[in-house]
Amino acid sequence: MPGRAGFVIGKKALPLAVDRNRVRRLLREALRRARPGIEGYDVILRLKRGCPRHEFRLVAAEAGRLLAPLAGDGGRSPPTADAR
């Protein structure tokens, strides 16, 4: 079963919708690059505080670094429905 992804970017963090959407697109790209290693996981990415526009790519790069251990599996496989 493929995993799902969600993004939480509040208005307080990035007041302009165009900025929130740009960050979402960049984060979606970071998730796409981490596949297929994260297919078994449901992932929620949350932007806790805002950043200037010139740092949006840094946010996406950090998300990629955080997803790398999941994508590489780190000797651990995703939970299955039978493992309850």
Side-chain angles (χ1 to χ4, degrees):
M1 175 178 201
R4 295 186 300 172
F7 306 101
V8 179
I9 303 171
K11 252 187 184 179
K12 283 186 179 182
L14 294 173
L16 298 177
V18 67
D19 291 339
R20 290 191 303 273
N21 291 333
R22 180 167 177 83
V23 170
R24 277 190 195 103
R25 281 193 306 274
L26 292 169
L27 292 175
R28 199 174 296 123
E29 176 66 18
L31 281 170
R32 186 192 64 77
R33 289 182 183 181
R35 288 184 186 166
I38 62 169
E39 287 294 324
Y41 296 98
D42 291 339
V43 178
I44 298 175
L45 298 174
R46 177 179 171 217
L47 187 69
K48 290 179 83 172
R49 56 190 128 123
C51 62
R53 284 184 179 173
H54 67 274
E55 292 184 1
F56 287 172
R57 291 213 180 264
L58 296 174
V59 170
E62 183 175 354
R65 283 192 303 274
L66 292 171
L67 290 168
L70 290 176
D73 202 26
R76 188 177 153 240
S77 34
T80 61
D82 299 332
R84 291 187 214 182

